Amino acid sequence: MDVELLIGIFPQVLLDGIILGFMYALIALGYTMVYGVLEFINFAHSEIFIFGAFVGVEVLLGLKSIGLLDGLPWPLVLVLVLVAGMAASGLLAVTVERVAYRPLRGAPRLIPLISAIGISFFLQDLIRLVESLWRNAFNLVYPTMDVLNLRFELSETIDVSVKSLVVIGGALLMLWALHLIVNRTKVGTAIRAVAEDQAAASLMGIDVNRIISLTFLIGGAMGGAAGVLFGVQYGLINPYSGFIPGLKAFTAAVLGGIGNIPGAMVGGLVLGLLEAFAAAYLSLLTGGAFGAEYKDILAFSILILILIFRPKGLLGEVVRERA
Amino acid sequence: MLKVESLDVAYGEIRALKGVGLEVGQGEIVTILGNNGAGKTTTLKTISGLLHPTRGTITLEDQSLLRVAPHAIVSRGVAHVPEGRRIFNRLTVRENLMMGAYLRSDSGIGADLERVFGLFPRLSERLTQVAGTLSGGEQQMLAIGRALMASPRLLLLDEPSMGLAPVLVEQIFDTITDINRQGMTILLVEQNAAMALSIAHRGYVLETGEIALTGTAAELSDNADVRRAYLGE
Amino acid sequence: MIRSPIAVALVGLSALAVATFPRSVLVFLFFQGSLLYVFKARMPEPLRWGLLAVSLLVLMPTIGYFNSYYLEVATQVGIFVALALGLNIVVGLAGLLDLGYVAFFAVGAYSWAIFGSPHANIIFGGESFPLAGWWFYVFLFVGLGTAAITGILLGLPVLRLHGDYLAIVTLGFGEVIRVLANNLDKPINLTNGPKGITPILRPPTPFGIPYGEFFYFLALLIVVAVIVVNRRLEDSHIGRAWEAIREDELAARAMGVSLVRMKLMAFACGASFAGVMGVLFSAKQVFINPESFTFLESIGVLAMVILGGMGSIPGAIVGATVVTVLNLQVLKGFSLWLNELKNAGVTILGFSLADLPTQFEPAKYERMGAAASASWPIEVGPSLARTTPGGRVEPRPCRPCSKPAASRRGSAGSRRCTTCTSRSTGGSRRSSGRTAPARRPCSTSSRGSTPRTRAA
Amino acid sequence: MIRHRGYLVLALVAILAVALLPAANLDAQGKGTIKIATQSPLSGGQAALGEGIKLGAQLAVEKFKGTLEKQGFKVELVPFDDQAKPDVGVANAKNIIADKDILTVIGHLNSGVAIPSSEVYKEVSLAMISPANTNPVVTDRGYPNVNRVCGRDDVQGVVGSEFAHATMKAKSVYIVHDKTPYGQGVAEFFKADAEKKGIKILGFEGTEEKSNFDPIVTPMKAKNPDVIYFGGIYDQAAPFFKQSREKGVKGKFFGPDGMDSSDLTKIAGKAVVGMYYTSAAGPASELPRAKAFVEEFKKKFGKNPEPYAAEAYDAATIALKGIEAAAKGGKMPSREDVATAVRKTKLPNGITGDIEFDGKGDRKKALYFVLQVASDDPGKWGNNKIVKQLAIAAPAAPVAPKK
């Protein structure tokens, strides 16, 4: 075993894990917010997330075709793309809620879950239909902005690219903004009130349906932002590429204590780091007997362990589990 | 002010209210008495829009409240302190109070906040505390204070005495009287009939979903049936 | 009773129609529909079961003899019915949401695949494998046992978890099993990884029945066995204990139900059915690899259970049938038909279908159709389950909590009630959350006295 | 509400029923029709490749069906979506064999679907020509009706290691694969042969990951291999290569025929310029027939062919030739006759070279090109140059991968 190598790549793996973790955290917010309010797993969130990535790529390609991609200052382009992706995903989330979930709100709990899964598959193929008509393509590539690809080589084994900084910065900004909205504004308080007790909230004059829509809007927008950052960081999307990250992010949300916003962030980071370290080190530590492909097993095993000892997730204290 | 006529409410097959009618005049405290399951809470919930009647009318100052969403009923000046308080446990005391004033954006919020603190000084000491950690009495105060923050014209109170020590119950009822004196109309649902009749102007007795008896508080207190059934004699 | 002659006529007519138009998907659908009618409509029980027996034991194999495709559809329906019934025990009866159910199916499938193929030689060395064909019948029970043990192994650590936490752990478990199957080709080659195991031996069949019919009958036999076991369980104290756990865990424990034993039992029972079917599946397919055991499969089975109406045996049967037929037959048939129109040069409103851009190729959007129809599951679900004979999901009048839950329970309990109160005016709603351990004031009254029209 | 929904469903079912009704009539009159079926995933994550197979076959059928149509037959292509799921593939296969007009199947994409489905085709001796199943097992079973125009993992892996050793002079390689039967299969054969040739294997990793390769790239970069071999398909390889270069990995990239798509450069851009890949299909720049195919494909479908589209085109061409041979005299041929004829059919100058089947249905002599990516412009994918040609016959007996 090459100890020097093991130590040498550590900071880089840490960075990889943090980026992945923030990505998961951003996606997990959508699951966790909806869960907090409706106690229901919005399976379609993975497609809401990838929809943001698609809108983002369309905006970028649009800018490119009119020659503005390099003409405008890159932070402006980024903000533009983020806003577009967030708006689109947010609206999609609201529409999905309106069409597929609200009519089922009184139904037994698992019925909307199946509806959500149905919507998830439906959206995958719908995105594919539209994209194949519009671009005649299956995989879409994020046009790169040269600035984002700049790298700073800190040592032989460690380097940091501008886009990874952008991803971390963007994610932190989003999380901070969400924190402000939820904890410092009236609607944010209303969201938390609705999450706790819908009937009592409606007795305060809160329009519960509107707050639920708003929750979907915000959760969806976070997903859209994650989608854009995902595209910027990893470069390639197709209509089905949201599903697995969505599943992982959902896991992260549960890990942190579902329904709990800081929990989603912690869960995302834990899962991201776990995956990164497992993928990088398993093979090195076992001499190739177990490789990177075991990262999911490790992640899920640790998830199971954590839940055994903390059945409500890492930060799940405040979430009440109905007996 | 509030007028309810021949109200029928059903849970599936089970009819919870059968032709209930009642009236609350401006500035009154009206109480509804009855045993468990008589339909008291159902009546309040139907008035505030949480339940939908199958028949009957509810009017507030000659405007129908039927098919009006609960949050819109609040905007017409009806505040409901639900049974079991139902404060937001995870929100702070201040946030709970501000949720009461959710629909308002006027400048009177601050003054109303002061008014609530005047009624319940304990709350002002616990402003930043998470509401779930309050004691039962404090929670009841918060629930009433929260409802007052909507600056309603009609206050629906559902069992404010439930689960409280007798000292606290008296304190709460004193406060209710205070609020009423300041001009608030109150519809009070209570199992503690003695307390309720001591502060109410008029009352109704609800039995298995029907109004069995009505009269002024004094009349009811003197009624032999009421005394036997609700005042423990 | 006019329904009895109608049923007889329907079955006879549709069978005749299938014989006349052996290739028409629609006519076969008509046959399936008439079976559904027999299954659901009110009629004397001996007639119902007689008709079903004749249809399934005589007519279906005869049809299958002329068109093995229909037999394949019927066999896969059988496989998924058994899976749905197994999952129904876990989700529907015991109220434990399991998102990794297909793992047990995989365990069963691999148990026969490894020993019923030369692959075991790689593990144990020598040339003694595959085992002789008759071992298959033994392995039906081995698969059952292995899957049951796996179920217990999964159950043990997760007993403390509820609701969605349990769901995510089972999801993880399902993925772990799949990833293991995909990766255990080293350091020891147990599963041959993604390349899968082949050729898997098929058993000698009694009376030399061809394999298509053999697997159909075997699947049917297993399904019948599963239904019988399911029924017995339901009526036993175990079944009642499961329901008690589903309705209110706390109360169940207070009544002396051993949560640990009962939950493990639910996992083991549900898993064992999947294990048996896994053995059958691997022999039928001759080849298996991890692609058959993805998360999507688990979701598919769950959808069948929920669609049919949770906790209901007929519901699970109908749900599995509808989904499988929709996926393998109806949507395929529809897209093939569109393709045929296109090839025939049909024009609609002056637009020739042949000019349709390839992006609109109907075969590409079968899945989308299935997904769209699953997005509004409520109409297929309870409405079907409600009318099934002997169904356990009779509509119970939803009596929402007029009293909010005791304050100790806090808002979570009472919220459930208000959401349903606000929608309960129609009175047609079913009781709220079945897996959700929701507070149901009516549960105490209905649990003991669920009206049950015994079917047989 | 629920009631209302119920009616909605009823209405939908009714519409569907009415829509399906004519299917019976159409079926009844199909007398002189010859159908060729394709089976590949048309939905789901692998739909792009599956659709490529369908489109390639479609192009060939439309182009070469004339001879049969002159004899009075109607020739049709019937696409099936196997959803990359074995159970769906088998059900489709049963559906296919039930339609007596279907005389050949072009498919599948996944070996996992092809193997159980071909058991079904075998029941009725229906010829299957696979454009993409490189798993040795597919033909090693020795079925008379199962053929493939693509190469085998064991051959291609060896071609790769031969090139890495002799031409690239690689001292060390790092192998990554996609955990599919194809990717892992070819990677394992590459590894086994490379080890034999004395190349040092610095790592052998499988991953199902599609977008984030950071954790794999980091240790790989630290080990600094000469050559990085990716066993898999371009849509996964391209982001992997791109992220590797972005992170400063310096080794040369190399891969099997799954790389053969202009989308590789579209996705990975400059990162893959100069990389090598092995392929049975020649480059458009040097083979006129390949050029014609790409142009025709593009004209018809508006995009570049995916990997295996050319193989599917050749497979369908062979299918038609086989049917023509079996239908001598204008009679509707039997499936057995078609299967026998297909096995005997030779296709000189196919898009993917000269095709001739051996006794097992493998190509007698597989000609492999090693190509080098010429430009980061996807439009110039056709300009990729042949660096080397290697002809290797398929192994006569099953070769088990050495572990």
Side-chain angles (χ1 to χ4, degrees), chain A residues 36 182-208 210-211 259 318-320, chain B residues 48 50 70-72 74-75 78-82 85-92 95-96 98-105 109 146-147 150:
Chain A
V182 171
N183 290 319
R184 297 275 186 274
T185 66
K186 195 158 131 184
V187 283
T189 318
I191 289 177
R192 286 183 289 143
V194 170
E196 209 175 313
D197 192 334
Q198 289 187 12
S202 71
L203 292 181
M204 302 297 108
I206 296 172
D207 184 344
V208 173
R210 257 179 65 191
I211 291 295
V318 264
V319 186
R320 219 182 330 271
Chain B
S48 58
L50 291 175
H71 63 89
V74 178
S75 69
V78 180
H80 182 165
V81 179
R85 309 188 262 273
R86 306 280 282 269
I87 56 161
F88 302 113
N89 283 313
R90 279 178 269 169
L91 270 51
T92 63
E95 282 171 338
N96 264 284
M98 292 318 284
M99 278 299 100
Y102 182 76
L103 288 176
R104 297 171 60 189
S105 52
I109 297 178
R146 187 177 65 172

Side-chain angles (χ1 to χ4, degrees), chain C residues 55-103:
Chain C
S55 311
L56 293 176
L57 292 176
V58 182
L59 295 180
M60 191 57 232
T62 317
I63 293 171
Y65 179 76
F66 293 105
N67 189 340
S68 61
Y69 166 52
Y70 293 156
L71 204 61
E72 173 70 22
V73 172
T75 313
Q76 289 208 20
V77 165
I79 291 178
F80 283 113
V81 164
L83 289 181
L85 285 171
L87 186 60
N88 184 44
I89 291 185
V90 186
V91 178
L93 290 186
L96 306 164
L97 181 53
D98 185 347
L99 290 181
Y101 185 65
V102 84

Side-chain angles (χ1 to χ4, degrees), chain C residues 9-34:
Chain C
L10 268 179
V11 171
L13 251 175
S14 58
L16 205 69
V18 176
T20 323
F21 301 103
R23 282 284 300 144
S24 169
V25 168
L26 185 74
V27 170
F28 186 52
L29 206 61
F30 176 36
F31 178 69
Q32 291 162 329
S34 61

